[in-house]
Amino acid sequence: MFNTALTWSDLAFLAQGAAMTLAVTAVSVTAGTLLGILFGVIRVQASTYWSVPLTFVLDVFRSVPLLIQLVLANAFQSIAKLGWGPFTTSCVVLSLYTAAYCTEIVRGGISSVPATTRRASRSLGMTWWQDMRYIVAPLATRVSLPSWIGLTLGVMKDSALVLWLGLIELLRASQILVTRLQEPLFILLICGAIYFLISFPIARLGGYLEKRWSPND
Amino acid sequence: MFNYTFHWNQALKALPQMLDGALITLQIALLSMLIGVACALALTGFRLSGNRVLSGFATTWIEIARNTPALFQIYMAHFGLGNFGIHLSPYTALLVGIAFNNAGYLAENFRGALKAIPDTQTRAGRSLGMTALQAFRFIVLPQMLRVAFLPTTNQMVWAILMTSLGVTVGMNTDLAGVTQELNARSFRTFEFFALAAVIYYVIAKAVTLAARAIASRMFRY
């Protein structure tokens, strides 16, 4: 088992795959979080005319498998002749997917701020924006951050699915090596170890923050 | 706007085939949940047992299941086990992968649910003359199931969505697999996958609503 044909350049190839995974994750999580914050505020604050359709649309992203979403988006971009490459398509889909979950997290965070606190700030003469910026944001972040970290890790893991569009990320890179070297277990173990090394410390940090910041301890 | 003619008829004609695939999808999801709940209960027990080896085994399982992609776990079952001479069919590999994943997440849910039940309840039960097993069976377990019920149904929806990953290991009988096969024959990608998306959505919503209905009946008090 320890006589492996794996060379350093193969490992570099895996590292490139991991970099692609991280790039897709970084772009999608950034865009998705910004969208999620926007949608979350709309969901809590806007009238039902806005929030109900928005909730429905975002719910679709959470109830349809990501793989199907990716295939659909790819087919759509070629039908509409948008000329997106696999990277752009993956990032757009993953961003919307992230936004759908992030909206719920943001909504939960905002509604965890007691209405009395917000009324107090408004009656001190703060504008809506000041109330959001100085009162709601700090309090809501404490509640939302642990689940947001969980979401980020979830998106990192789910980004493995973009291999279906032909993007060479970590899992696809290891699959290519498996096909060439015929050592599935060894290479997949390395691949899994890389995922684990990225995910585990951050998951632990999330767990720690959740314990540290939970209101009733 | 688009220079493309949609052929929805073709997709609609294939609807019976796709619904058959949806049944397989549901079957895999249900089986994986049953196996997952059984494994998760065992893992929770292992963790509480105080035995180093058992709790280490449980922790390893849970952390691997939660910190690697589900697709990786399915690949492991399909390609990785080949090293030991175990060659699973796509169906079995998918089932094993999802069940492994479910067990990890559910074990964490169960642990959280157990934590939500105060220790004093067990002690109260014991001081009423119950044995440890009775206290667990009649006091802790019913409350734990109540707390864990909704997260478990969420996991069920996840399991349904995860079955679509089977297509990457060559599964061709579940909903995603059937759709992919139809797509390979006709290249009507958008139409077929849009229909598949609708079916997945309906299934996921039906499961969620059914779970809510069951919960509101079962946990009235």
Side-chain angles (χ1 to χ4, degrees), chain A residues 56 59 157 161 185 188 199, chain B residues 66-67 72 105 165 205:
Chain A
F56 175 77
D59 193 48
K157 282 176 278 171
L161 302 193
L185 187 66
L188 279 177
S199 173
Chain B
R66 289 167 57 88
N67 286 304
F72 165 79
Y105 279 91
L165 302 181
K205 279 295 119 183

Side-chain angles (χ1 to χ4, degrees), chain A residues 47-114:
Chain A
S47 64
T48 42
Y49 287 110
W50 287 99
S51 61
V52 169
L54 184 68
T55 313
F56 175 77
V57 171
L58 292 179
D59 193 48
V60 170
F61 283 97
R62 296 188 299 156
S63 307
V64 172
L66 188 57
L67 194 66
I68 307 277
Q69 291 181 34
L70 283 166
V71 174
L72 266 180
N74 200 32
F76 177 79
Q77 66 86 18
S78 72
I79 287 173
K81 299 212 165 47
L82 294 172
W84 291 350
F87 185 81
T88 318
T89 316
S90 315
C91 283
V92 168
V93 173
L94 273 171
S95 303
L96 289 171
Y97 179 78
T98 315
Y101 284 95
C102 193
T103 303
E104 288 307 305
I105 294 174
V106 170
R107 190 186 61 91
I110 294 178
S111 36
S112 76
V113 179

Side-chain angles (χ1 to χ4, degrees), chain B residues 9 16 18 44 62 66 78 168 175 197 219:
Chain B
N9 267 336
M18 289 169 80
T44 316
I62 292 167
R66 289 167 57 88
H78 193 246
T168 57
L175 180 49
F219 307 135

Side-chain angles (χ1 to χ4, degrees), chain A residues 47-209:
Chain A
S47 64
T48 42
Y49 287 110
W50 287 99
S51 61
V52 169
L54 184 68
T55 313
F56 175 77
V57 171
L58 292 179
D59 193 48
V60 170
F61 283 97
R62 296 188 299 156
S63 307
V64 172
L66 188 57
L67 194 66
I68 307 277
Q69 291 181 34
L70 283 166
V71 174
L72 266 180
N74 200 32
F76 177 79
Q77 66 86 18
S78 72
I79 287 173
K81 299 212 165 47
L82 294 172
W84 291 350
F87 185 81
T88 318
T89 316
S90 315
C91 283
V92 168
V93 173
L94 273 171
S95 303
L96 289 171
Y97 179 78
T98 315
Y101 284 95
C102 193
T103 303
E104 288 307 305
I105 294 174
V106 170
R107 190 186 61 91
I110 294 178
S111 36
S112 76
V113 179
T116 44
T117 312
R118 301 194 59 184
R119 265 182 240 137
S121 72
R122 290 306 291 272
S123 47
L124 281 172
M126 286 184 169
T127 62
W128 181 85
W129 174 251
Q130 281 175 326
D131 166 45
M132 270 296 178
R133 165 77 186 72
Y134 297 105
I135 308 295
V136 176
L139 290 173
T141 307
R142 292 201 139 209
V143 176
S144 308
L145 197 66
S147 9
W148 181 82
I149 290 177
L151 173 65
T152 305
L153 290 177
V155 173
M156 199 272 288
K157 282 176 278 171
D158 287 341
S159 77
L161 302 193
V162 303
L163 63 82
W164 195 248
L165 297 188
L167 210 58
I168 301 178
E169 42 67 73
L170 182 50
L171 197 57
R172 178 83 187 117
S174 41
Q175 206 190 4
I176 292 172
L177 288 184
V178 167
T179 314
R180 189 153 59 77
L181 303 176
Q182 296 298 322
E183 294 172 21
L185 187 66
F186 183 60
I187 295 167
L188 279 177
L189 279 179
I190 296 178
C191 164
I194 298 176
Y195 272 117
F196 193 84
L197 281 180
I198 301 173
S199 173
F200 186 67
I202 307 178
R204 272 295 163 89
L205 175 72
Y208 169 76
L209 287 181

Side-chain angles (χ1 to χ4, degrees), chain B residues 166-179:
Chain B
V167 71
T168 57
V169 288
M171 178 90 186
N172 56 9
T173 47
D174 76 321
L175 180 49
V178 167
T179 315

Side-chain angles (χ1 to χ4, degrees), chain B residues 114 117 119 121-144:
Chain B
L114 270 184
I117 296 145
D119 212 24
Q121 300 230 0
T122 314
R123 271 184 253 155
R126 291 304 298 277
S127 55
L128 282 173
M130 288 179 169
T131 64
L133 204 63
Q134 278 176 327
F136 182 78
R137 165 73 186 77
F138 294 107
I139 309 287
V140 178
L141 195 64
Q143 301 188 70
M144 185 191 112

